Amino acid sequence: MRTANVRSIVIWTLVALVSAAGWSVLALSRGESVSAAWMVAAALGSYAIAYRFYAKFVAHKVLKVDGTRATPAERLDNGIDFHPTDRRVLLGHHFAAIAGAGPLVGPVLAAQMGYLPGTIWIIAGVVFAGAVQDMVVLFFSTRRDGRSLGQMAREEIGPFGGAAALIAAFAIMIILLGVLALVIVNALAASPWGTFSIAMTIPIALLMGFYLRVLRPGRVAEVSLIGVALLLLALVAGRWVAESSWAGTFTLAPSTLVVWLVAYGFIASILPVWMLLAPRDYLSTFMKIGTIALLALGVVVALPTLKMDAVTDFASRGDGPVFAGSLFPFVFITIACGALSGFHSLISSGTTPKMIQKETQIRMIGYGSMLMESSVAIMALVAASIIDPGLYFAMNAPSGAIGTTVQTASQVVTGWGYHISPADLAQAAKNVEESTLLSRTGGAPTLAIGVSEIFSKVTGGSLRAFWYHFAIMFEALFILTALDAGTRVGRFMLQDMLGNVVRPFRNVSWKPGLAITSAAVCALWGYFLWVGVHEPLGGINQLFPIFGISNQLLAAVALAVCTTLLVKSGRLKWAWITGVPLAWDATVTLTASYQKVFSGDPKVGFFKQRSVFQDAIDAGKVLPPAKNMDDMHTVVTNSTVDGVLSAVLAVLIVVVIADALRVCVRHIRRPALSSLSESPYVESRITAPAGLVPTRQEKEEERRAVVGTAAPGD
């Protein structure tokens, strides 16, 4: 034991030193070249230490996870929504469900402020806020039969604050799903390679589901090898298809993709979770983590230099071309997933608590998955920071700011202090076989350029275009897995809401109810997506500007519920674990909401923007991004809607936090008045490891369980 302890001390000391060295180089280097490998070292070292020590402390000391307690998956197993799922498959599902557009796109956009602010927020945010939120929400939902976040708020905070939480959470969920779907449509609209490869993951997942359920139950290693082999074949075949006569078949119009996405979302929401959702997410996780791991390895091998400034002038001026606003609060809004994301709380109180085998797995699945997603965000920030800053701003600035030619773009970007020649802009597009890279906004194309830069340094420049298009397809796959799980979670939320009025809806596996609510959720986000695809300034495009704020406001709801439950369950001395992140998140998001509503800068304030465009309409002028008077009127409408929604959502969140504070104070003063809706204790009959690799003791327990269930004489 003494030798093991010494070895452990040496290992963790080395990890801490490597991480500290990475942080020191990033923070102290000024005016000199910094390798991206230092960013990777700082991140991975911090993640390892946080998981080993802080996550273990929260899980065992604060939450006191109980391996002898049966989870809802075991007690309520019905093969539809409640189903005990192997921890490895569930880890893949949970990670794939939470890892949507945010960790890929947010850090890329936030790079306009420099690489240092984003790095600090991503790592510190996930360690002390994001991963804690995910794990604590998962724990309390598991203790409450997999209740949704809004329903837990209603039961534990009260009808008033709970109603505000239910309405806010569901409205934000629809916005998030619509935005995710729009990103997928934009990525796949002209990509037969991506469309074919992603379509093939569906039959592969169905095969894996039936393999584990019917053909070879429990053989996770076998089905993993089969699934990965078929996935790689689908990826390779996708390029063959794109270069063949079949390319036209898989080159779908945006409107066609909308129909297919809505249909897929509905089917994935109503099918048994073991059949499609869980195996497909597990399958996609191999590609997601595999690609990110290869990126990290590529950074270590190629040692690319961070070309973006540590902190740019835009951070203090607030007039960045990518998005307007100062570093505080907008970096913390732009980077959500990867640091702290309210969307995750919906998954942690949606599909996952209905599938987890043991409470002891909450640390790995809740905290561990979030660390995995944070590593994605770090790699996205690396990818955006290693490309030429001039190219970065030319790609992410709107055409209204830089023009439509490489000559005008070069002049404008040079005026911002980042020189790049017209020839360099043209060559960058030619290198990846694109006609132009100007104003390729949204973050995804920039990430693809960074990925191709890293991989081509390892494999050779001739494959740069291949890696660019691979990255575009990878991003679409990454996001789609959040869409199908999110739709199912949206169905749970709507069922919980309706169940307060119509009793049968309380049973989330009631077939008429699940069909009705699934159709309603798909219809809502599908409508906004359809309009957004057909009207450049309408539909989900209208709601896109409040995507980041909505997500972080939802995180405030989740942290408020967690803090309330910690207090009411006798853990008052540990309430700071979620209380401090709640205070920070509320400060950031409410500040951002205030600025978006009342700022006098038309690039920031919605109502000021409305006023400017209305005055232009009265004067008969057309302002960008509008192209005609109809667009001008649409911008006025959008600004009004976004301003009102921002104000309403902020008020709802203030109501939730205030009501949660009232409940906490009342409990501290008069504990006898409080009640918990926790499900009664039932002893578990399932034996399963807590982590990916079973300990010696866990292996022995599994062996005993197998022997104990064997029939006499076997």
Side-chain angles (χ1 to χ4, degrees), residues 186-187 190-191 193-194 239 287 291 295 387 391 395 428-441 443-456 459-476:
N186 290 339
S191 176
W193 180 8
R239 196 183 191 197
M287 181 180 173
T291 302
L295 270 176
I387 66 176
L391 176 59
M395 291 184 67
K430 184 178 180 181
N431 288 341
V432 293
E433 299 176 7
E434 292 281 354
S435 58
T436 181
L437 290 176
L438 299 183
S439 299
R440 296 295 298 273
T441 56
T446 305
L447 175 61
I449 287 289
V451 170
S452 67
E453 179 80 13
I454 294 171
F455 282 160
S456 63
T459 62
S462 61
L463 291 176
R464 188 184 297 269
F466 169 84
W467 290 121
Y468 173 83
H469 291 283
F470 169 83
I472 293 292
M473 185 273 297
F474 163 74
E475 292 168 40

Side-chain angles (χ1 to χ4, degrees), residues 557-693:
V557 173
L559 290 167
V561 172
C562 290
T563 304
T564 304
L565 284 168
L566 285 173
V567 172
K568 290 179 65 177
S569 61
R571 300 173 173 91
L572 175 60
K573 68 177 181 179
W574 304 121
W576 60 268
I577 288 172
T578 54
V580 172
L582 169 61
W584 166 257
D585 184 53
T587 301
V588 167
T589 50
L590 293 177
T591 300
S593 297
Y594 181 87
Q595 291 187 19
K596 295 300 286 185
V597 174
F598 296 110
S599 174
D601 183 349
K603 293 182 179 180
V604 177
F606 290 127
F607 289 131
K608 182 61 177 178
Q609 183 185 67
R610 180 195 184 283
S611 176
V612 168
F613 274 77
Q614 186 61 55
D615 291 344
I617 290 173
D618 295 339
K621 297 179 181 178
V622 176
L623 304 178
K627 297 179 180 178
N628 50 51
M629 274 297 168
D630 287 339
D631 285 353
M632 291 290 290
H633 286 287
T634 301
V635 171
V636 169
T637 301
N638 290 355
S639 300
T640 305
V641 170
D642 288 339
V644 170
L645 274 177
S646 295
V648 169
L649 289 174
V651 169
L652 287 173
I653 269 58
V654 169
V655 168
V656 174
I657 294 174
D659 212 19
L661 180 61
R662 176 189 63 82
V663 171
C664 290
V665 171
R666 186 189 67 178
H667 175 83
I668 293 170
R669 291 178 175 176
R670 303 181 67 183
L673 296 178
S674 299
S675 62
L676 287 171
S677 58
E678 186 172 290
S679 301
Y681 175 90
V682 175
E683 186 175 356
S684 175
R685 297 179 179 273
I686 292 178
T687 302
L692 279 178
V693 181

Side-chain angles (χ1 to χ4, degrees), residues 687-698:
T687 302
L692 279 178
V693 181
T695 63
R696 183 178 302 175
Q697 181 180 352
E698 288 171 339

Side-chain angles (χ1 to χ4, degrees), residues 11 22 44 101-102 268-270 276 291 377 397 418 425 443 449 506 582 601 663 688 696:
I11 291 173
L44 295 183
S269 178
I270 63 174
L276 176 60
T291 302
Y418 300 97
L425 287 172
I449 287 289
R506 294 184 182 182
L582 169 61
D601 183 349
V663 171
R696 183 178 302 175

